Amino acid sequence: EQNGKFGFIDHSGKFVIKPVYDDALFFKNGEATVREKKENWVINKNGKKIRELKVENEEEELQERINTKPLTR
């Protein structure tokens, strides 16, 4: 976290994805879920947005991503 924004660092502590997100979950299977401007996205290890997460029950979906396998749609 830097200035209230989240990014991702490597093992040495260097940012590999700049802290531009309002919230972020850890990487799992090469993907992470991030929140930016009230939208949830799945990003890859390069920070590229793969797909937007639009779900009726957002909190349940995010919890499922944390506890089980990555989303597939």
Side-chain angles (χ1 to χ4, degrees), residues 20-51:
V20 297
Y21 303 107
D22 300 316
D23 202 359
L25 298 176
F26 56 87
F27 272 91
K28 185 173 183 179
N29 297 327
E31 298 179 342
T33 302
V34 296
R35 181 174 294 205
E36 182 180 33
K37 299 176 185 172
K38 298 184 181 182
E39 296 177 341
N40 293 312
W41 292 89
V42 175
I43 62 169
N44 67 17
K45 289 189 175 187
N46 297 319
K48 182 180 178 186
K49 293 175 182 173
I50 298 171
R51 64 185 172 275

